[in-house]
């Protein structure tokens, strides 16, 4: 466990430290697209955040390869190298898409090529554990096609949900956390070495998301773009393929002591389609609904719109942050509910707990305009939106300063500023709070 935590921390640290330079590079390279009609943010914001996430992935794999226990994963399996090869291809495709724009069909073909490269290096589904039948061996063609389909579906599911600040990274981080606990339980609890690569992939994925989230939370200073969303989708799919199609169910039957116990253990990973449903159920549901909605209107399934689940949460009155937290809640409920059920499927308390938490989630959905107020003694420590209206002025001495006095100290020529646009020198990753100028602040600081 300590080596997994070290790998996770190194991945998170490299991702976090590299995001700042990558943000500046994105601005210089012109990867700051104009705000579109379907976008939620108000100002042009740099993309290409996935570059930093890819650096974090490479650093994590490099460190894991030199650790005593995790180095055995690289010696006994070719899956880490397969993951790195597929991730490099999908990363390059994402960079081109974020900078120049790539046609949807070309992007789909690139995703299939990246999945095919992983399949060629051994990361593929070999058999399926089907209830009542047992382990069903797949022919090479069947396993390869099923693997490519699973990878492409997972990549696009994560890509579709990337619509709010911190949404995709947070939801994938929650899913990867549940996936790590499950894979580690199979590896450590049942002694199944084939589950070690999936455990490593989950730890790397958590580190990538945790390192990027501080820069991506609302208001975001940088977006991961397709570079990041497709990358984390690929890593999550690689872990699903590894633990579903590489772990022999007969080993679990031998370790569990009986076929019935093994069946309960294998509940979340009976089939490759079931694992994404339980781990990333919300993004997958959003993907299916988007395809049905667009084809029903006679549009292309790849046509962008404002009909995603997170857009609907904003339309009914939820704030940006609350919509993201609600999506986190439902993702955690489904992922960790499946994890708890796999540990003890005979417990009625688990079912009752999931039902109770689902009721809480429904109540949160029906209270979009409810704003909690902090007690007066805590108002100095919470954001202004949680303070009582009568105490904001008392807590902010500068708020009582007359506007004329403030204008008297401002430099000449700073009374009116036009919002900056994409491609103009000086754009440094505007936030979602609205237009604001930084030129006056720089003059006061004595810089140019």
């Amino acid at each position: 466990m300590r080596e997994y935590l070290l790998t996770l921390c190194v991945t998170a640290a490299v991702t976090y430290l590299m995001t700042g330079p990558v943000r500046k590079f994105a601005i210089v390279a012109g990867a700051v697209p104009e705000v579109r009609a379907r976008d939620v943010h108000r100002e042009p914001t740099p993309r290409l955040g996935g570059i930093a996430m890819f650096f974090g992935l490479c650093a994590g794999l490099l460190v894991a390869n030199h650790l005593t226990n995790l180095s055995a994963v690289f010696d006994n399996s070719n899956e880490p190298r397969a993951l790195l090869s597929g991730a490099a291809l999908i990363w390059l495709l994402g960079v081109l898409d974020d900078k120049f724009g790539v046609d949807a069909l070309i992007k789909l073909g690139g995703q299939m090529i990246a999945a095919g490269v992983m399949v060629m290096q051994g990361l593929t589904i070999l058999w399926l554990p089907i209830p009542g039948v047992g382990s069903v061996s797949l022919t090479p063609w069947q396993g390869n096609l099923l693997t490519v389909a699973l990878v492409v579906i997972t990549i696009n599911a994560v890509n579709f949900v990337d619509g709010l600040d911190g949404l995709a990274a947070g939801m994938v981080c929650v899913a990867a956390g549940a996936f790590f606990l499950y894979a580690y339980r199979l590896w450590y609890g049942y002694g199944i070495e084939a589950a070690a690569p999936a455990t490593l992939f989950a730890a790397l994925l958590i580190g990538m998301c945790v390192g990027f989230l501080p820069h991506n939370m609302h208001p975001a200073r940088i977006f991961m773009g397709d570079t990041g969303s497709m990358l984390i989708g690929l890593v999550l799919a690689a872990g699903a393929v590894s633990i579903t199609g590489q772990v022999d169910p007969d080993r679990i039957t031998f370790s569990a002591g009986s076929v019935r116990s093994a069946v309960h253990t294998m509940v979340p990973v009976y089939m490759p389609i079931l694992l994404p449903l339980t781990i990333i159920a919300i993004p997958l549901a959003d993907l299916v609904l988007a395809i049905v909605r667009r084809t029903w209107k006679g549009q292309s399934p790849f046509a962008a719109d404002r009909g995603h689940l997170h857009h609907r949460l904003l339309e009914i009155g939820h704030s940006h942050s609350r919509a993201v937290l609600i999506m986190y809640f439902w993702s955690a409920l489904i992922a960790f509910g499946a994890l708890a059920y796999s540990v003890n499927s005979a417990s009625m308390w688990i079912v009752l707990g999931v039902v109770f938490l689902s009721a809480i989630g429904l109540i949160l959905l029906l209270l979009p305009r409810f704003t909690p107020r902090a007690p007066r003694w805590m108002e100095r420590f919470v954001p202004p939106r949680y303070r009582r209206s009568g105490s904001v002025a008392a807590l902010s001495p500068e708020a009582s300063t007359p506007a004329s006095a403030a204008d008297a100290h401002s430099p000449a020529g700073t009374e009116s500023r036009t919002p900056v646009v994409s491609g103009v020198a000086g754009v440094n990753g505007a936030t979602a709070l609205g237009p604001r100028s930084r030129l006056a602040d720089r003059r006061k600081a004595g810089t140019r």
Side-chain angles (χ1 to χ4, degrees):
M1 176 62 78
R2 289 179 297 180
E3 294 189 353
Y4 283 117
L5 293 179
L6 177 60
T7 303
L8 188 156
C9 292
V10 170
T11 305
V14 173
T15 303
Y16 177 80
L17 295 175
M18 289 299 301
T19 303
V22 167
R23 176 174 172 268
K24 295 181 179 180
F25 168 77
I27 297 171
V28 173
V32 190
E34 297 286 349
V35 179
R36 299 161 296 186
R38 62 185 177 90
D39 289 333
V40 178
H41 59 284
R42 299 178 182 177
E43 296 184 11
T45 305
R47 293 187 179 181
L48 296 179
I51 296 179
M53 304 177 82
F54 180 73
F55 288 154
L57 174 65
C58 295
L61 287 173
L62 182 62
V63 170
N65 191 26
H66 289 82
L67 296 178
T68 303
N69 295 325
L70 292 184
S71 60
V73 177
F74 295 81
D75 297 334
N76 301 330
S77 174
N78 199 42
E79 293 181 12
R81 300 175 184 83
L83 171 66
L84 184 59
S85 301
L89 290 177
I90 208 73
W91 170 77
L92 180 60
L93 176 64
V95 170
L96 295 177
D97 184 37
D98 288 337
K99 179 61 178 73
F100 304 104
V102 178
D103 184 74
L105 293 179
I106 297 178
K107 189 160 56 175
L108 180 62
Q111 296 170 1
M112 297 176 67
I113 293 175
V117 169
M118 294 194 301
V119 168
M120 292 175 59
Q121 299 188 52
L123 187 58
T124 183
I125 297 175
L126 303 178
W127 50 68
L128 293 179
I130 299 179
V133 178
S135 301
V136 177
S137 299
L138 301 178
T139 64
W141 277 106
Q142 291 174 340
N144 295 344
L145 291 177
L146 192 58
T147 302
V148 172
L150 176 61
V151 172
V152 172
I153 290 174
T154 308
I155 288 175
N156 287 282
V158 176
N159 192 19
F160 271 47
V161 82
D162 183 25
L164 297 180
D165 298 349
L167 181 58
M171 292 182 66
V172 172
C173 185
V174 170
F179 188 77
F180 174 81
L181 294 177
Y182 181 82
Y184 184 79
R185 179 170 175 261
L186 287 183
W187 174 72
Y188 184 78
Y190 293 94
I192 300 176
E193 295 293 337
T199 311
L200 175 61
F201 296 167
L204 293 169
L205 186 56
I206 295 173
M208 294 162 61
C209 296
V210 169
F212 184 72
L213 271 175
H215 300 272
N216 191 233
M217 292 301 292
H218 182 69
R221 302 176 71 245
I222 186 173
F223 294 152
M224 67 171 64
D226 285 357
T227 310
S229 62
M230 292 194 300
L231 177 62
I232 61 178
L234 179 86
V235 178
L236 185 61
V241 170
S242 177
I243 202 168
T244 305
Q246 301 285 332
V247 175
D248 188 357
D250 294 335
R251 290 287 308 278
I252 300 180
T253 303
F254 177 77
S255 302
S258 66
V259 176
R260 182 176 181 180
S261 300
V263 167
H264 289 317
T265 304
M266 292 295 293
V267 165
V269 287
Y270 273 135
M271 297 177 65
I273 296 299
L274 185 60
L275 186 61
L277 281 174
T278 56
I279 299 300
I280 53 169
I282 302 299
L284 194 62
D286 195 16
L287 171 64
V288 174
L289 291 175
I291 293 176
V292 173
R293 179 178 65 252
R294 294 165 184 175
T295 53
W296 183 266
K297 295 180 180 180
Q299 301 175 347
S300 169
F302 304 101
D305 57 15
R306 288 181 59 91
H308 293 287
L309 297 178
H310 48 271
H311 290 138
R312 295 181 181 273
L313 289 175
L314 296 177
E315 290 175 359
I316 65 176
H318 289 289
S319 65
H320 190 293
S321 300
R322 186 175 297 169
V324 172
L325 292 177
I326 289 175
M327 298 286 281
Y328 286 177
F329 173 83
W330 283 105
S331 298
L333 178 62
I334 296 174
F336 285 94
L339 175 65
Y341 188 73
S342 69
V343 174
N344 188 3
S345 59
S347 177
M348 183 59 64
W349 289 105
I350 295 176
V351 178
L352 294 177
V354 171
V355 172
F356 176 72
L357 293 175
S358 300
I360 294 179
L362 292 176
I363 293 175
L364 293 176
L365 288 176
L366 297 176
L367 295 176
R369 300 187 183 279
F370 171 72
T371 302
R373 298 298 180 186
R376 294 189 179 277
W377 61 273
M378 291 184 59
E379 290 179 348
R380 292 184 177 274
F381 309 101
V382 296
R385 64 177 178 272
Y386 297 120
R387 301 171 185 169
R388 303 178 189 274
S389 58
S391 60
V392 174
L395 295 173
S396 304
E398 64 274 8
S400 59
T401 303
S404 59
D407 295 337
H409 295 285
S410 61
T414 60
E415 292 78 14
S416 61
R417 294 286 181 185
T418 57
V420 294
V421 295
S422 169
V424 178
V427 176
N428 51 0
T431 66
L433 295 177
R436 60 182 181 181
S437 174
R438 300 180 183 269
L439 297 178
D441 297 335
R442 290 187 179 184
R443 290 178 181 177
K444 290 179 182 180
T447 59
R448 295 181 180 179

